[in-house]
Amino acid sequence: MADGGDVLSMLIPQGGYILVGNEYEGIQFLECEPITKAQFDAGFAQYDAWKLEQDATKATTKAALLTRLGITADEAKLLLS
């Protein structure tokens, strides 16, 4: 379940805001274009699909990189530890 911070990171990925609490009224837009309450509220319905898409893209990119390197995920973990 998404919270207000998740929704804002989807809608305003460059940041520039402060969120106090989890409600629209707790957003302070500092260095970004403000969004409306309707956009914020709609973001909760959109977040899960957006997150799944982001995760799938990340997994595909990771798999392609491992294939190019000719190593497994476990071997990559060994290299990074």
Side-chain angles (χ1 to χ4, degrees):
M1 173 112 184
D3 63 23
D6 294 332
V7 171
L8 283 174
S9 68
M10 174 188 71
L11 296 173
I12 311 172
Q14 72 277 9
Y17 56 83
I18 296 172
L19 175 62
V20 178
N22 201 34
E23 303 295 323
Y24 179 80
E25 291 74 19
I27 305 171
Q28 297 175 27
F29 298 100
L30 304 173
E31 297 177 5
C32 64
E33 186 70 30
I35 61 171
T36 66
K37 183 172 183 344
Q39 289 171 311
F40 181 73
D41 291 342
F44 284 92
Q46 301 164 353
Y47 181 80
D48 288 338
W50 175 83
K51 181 69 172 145
L52 284 173
E53 182 179 322
Q54 297 299 308
D55 292 347
T57 299
K58 184 177 178 181
T60 300
T61 302
K62 180 180 174 180
L65 178 59
L66 290 173
T67 298
R68 278 200 325 261
L69 293 172
I71 61 175
T72 66
D74 289 336
E75 290 169 332
K77 287 178 189 175
L78 284 172
L79 291 173
L80 297 174
S81 60

